């Protein structure tokens, strides 16, 4: 399975999953249709699936037009998103699986950003491969999604599920927010050496407009404050101990940043 990253709108990424051998493709969170159609045409691919993570328009905005061009494709989304995702046919819950290109992805129910948000995880096929996590607006490189429809404790549970995956998992999040996320992270954990190094390297990447997605989950565990509710330094900064409270305080600070 190959993965292409298509930058759209101001800071969204659409991900195209495909296999050239049998000319099939699936798309994760098509905010818009045109650049996806263009890429499919260039590669001569048939679109068989849309994997949506949640109902926001910058994730489902291209659904209708893609269905028009590929009427047989299947639209997947969270069970709780029923009625909110255009063309949705499959209603997924925690523990469900989906198939693409002979691979099986596990579905995680990760409410918090929205009440219905899901993530798709393709485990490594062979020992040497890395797994791929498509997490929408739940976990970002260096940050996490805003809590529009969920509570801090829901989001901590959701991020905890993702944090339990192997360190060498590629994290394909839906926005290029990394530099700003790491600027915030430095304000709460400035003496974290891994974070300082990551910030410098992301700053260089963004100076030449190089994408910072995907990132490795192991790096997120070391530098992303929203996965680090157990870190004594963050417990000290937030003056909290309990994970949901540490997280909630950090999220509040980021909202004001
Ligand atoms: Zn969103
Ligand atoms: Fe979004």
């Amino acid at each position: 399975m190959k993965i292409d990253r298509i930058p759209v709108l101001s800071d969204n990424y659409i991900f195209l999953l495909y296999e050239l051998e049998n000319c099939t493709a699936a798309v994760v969170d098509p905010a818009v249709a045109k650049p996806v159609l263009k890429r499919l045409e260039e590669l001569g691919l048939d679109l068989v699936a849309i994997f949506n993570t949640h109902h926001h328009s910058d994730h489902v905005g291209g659904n209708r037009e893609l269905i028009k061009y590929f009427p047989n494709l299947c639209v997947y989304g969270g069970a709780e998103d029923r009625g909110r995702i255009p063309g949705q046919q499959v209603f997924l819950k925690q523990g469900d699986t989906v198939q693409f290109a002979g691979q099986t992805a596990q579905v995680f129910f990760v409410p918090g950003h929205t009440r219905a948000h899901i993530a798709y995880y393709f485990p490594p096929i062979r020992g040497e491969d890395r797994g791929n996590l498509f997490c929408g607006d739940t976990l970002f490189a260096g940050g996490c999604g805003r809590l529009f429809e969920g509570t801090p404790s829901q989001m901590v549970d959701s991020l905890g599920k993702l944090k339990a995956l192997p360190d060498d998992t590629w994290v394909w999040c839906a926005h290029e927010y990394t530099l700003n996320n790491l600027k915030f992270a430095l304000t709460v954990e400035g003496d974290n050496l891994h974070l300082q190094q990551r910030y410098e390297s992301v700053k260089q990447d963004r100076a030449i407009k190089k994408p910072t997605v995907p990132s490795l989950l192991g790096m997120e565990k070391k530098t992303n404050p929203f996965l680090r509710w157990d870190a004594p330094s963050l417990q000290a900064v937030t003056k909290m101990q309990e994970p949901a409270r540490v997280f909630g305080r950090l999220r509040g600070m980021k909202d004001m940043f």
Side-chain angles (χ1 to χ4, degrees), residues 6-226:
I6 307 174
V8 298
L9 307 179
S10 54
D11 49 39
N12 277 77
Y13 289 121
I14 298 174
F15 303 115
L16 191 69
L17 325 183
Y18 61 97
E19 270 202 326
L20 289 175
E21 305 85 77
N22 49 22
C23 304
T24 56
V27 67
V28 180
D29 284 350
V32 291
K34 278 216 171 54
V36 177
L37 291 167
K38 182 166 170 267
R39 195 84 188 102
L40 290 169
E41 200 182 320
E42 283 165 4
L43 295 167
L45 299 169
D46 181 31
L47 188 64
V48 298
I50 295 175
F51 296 126
N52 286 129
T53 62
H54 66 296
H55 75 292
H56 284 159
S57 61
D58 62 319
H59 299 254
V60 306
N63 279 24
R64 286 262 177 251
E65 199 174 342
L66 291 172
I67 296 165
K68 247 191 268 169
Y69 281 85
F70 299 95
N72 296 322
L73 69 72
C74 189
V75 181
Y76 298 82
E80 309 287 322
D81 258 334
R82 188 178 286 273
R84 303 203 297 186
I85 293 179
Q88 184 176 3
Q89 291 160 289
V90 182
F91 302 84
L92 298 164
K93 295 194 184 73
Q94 170 73 30
D96 283 348
T97 58
V98 297
Q99 311 284 325
F100 174 70
Q103 286 199 57
T104 302
Q106 299 164 10
V107 173
F108 292 94
F109 179 49
V110 286
H113 176 66
T114 70
R115 61 179 171 77
H117 204 298
I118 59 170
Y120 301 86
Y121 170 63
F122 288 87
I125 312 181
R126 294 178 302 275
E128 68 267 28
D129 279 345
R130 284 173 167 157
N132 292 293
L133 173 68
F134 298 93
C135 49
D137 291 354
T138 298
L139 176 62
F140 289 131
C144 76
R146 277 175 192 265
L147 302 184
F148 287 119
E149 299 180 352
T151 64
S153 106
Q154 277 179 322
M155 193 61 149
V156 163
D157 283 352
S158 296
L159 291 170
K161 291 178 188 174
L162 306 183
K163 193 179 168 182
L165 294 170
D167 282 1
D168 63 354
T169 302
W170 287 119
V171 177
W172 301 85
C173 63
H175 291 272
E176 180 61 62
Y177 289 159
T178 318
L179 186 59
N180 191 53
N181 283 341
L182 295 179
K183 278 182 189 160
F184 169 74
L186 280 173
T187 67
V188 290
E189 213 183 7
D191 49 9
N192 178 334
L193 287 176
H194 295 290
L195 175 57
Q196 293 170 7
Q197 286 165 3
R198 186 181 188 190
Y199 174 73
E200 287 308 321
S201 104
V202 163
K203 199 167 74 175
Q204 288 175 18
D205 287 346
R206 293 311 294 156
I208 54 167
K209 297 271 181 275
K210 193 174 155 201
T212 63
V213 175
S215 63
L216 281 172
L217 187 57
M219 178 56 85
E220 298 306 329
K221 293 180 196 178
K222 285 192 280 193
T223 60
N224 186 332
F226 297 101

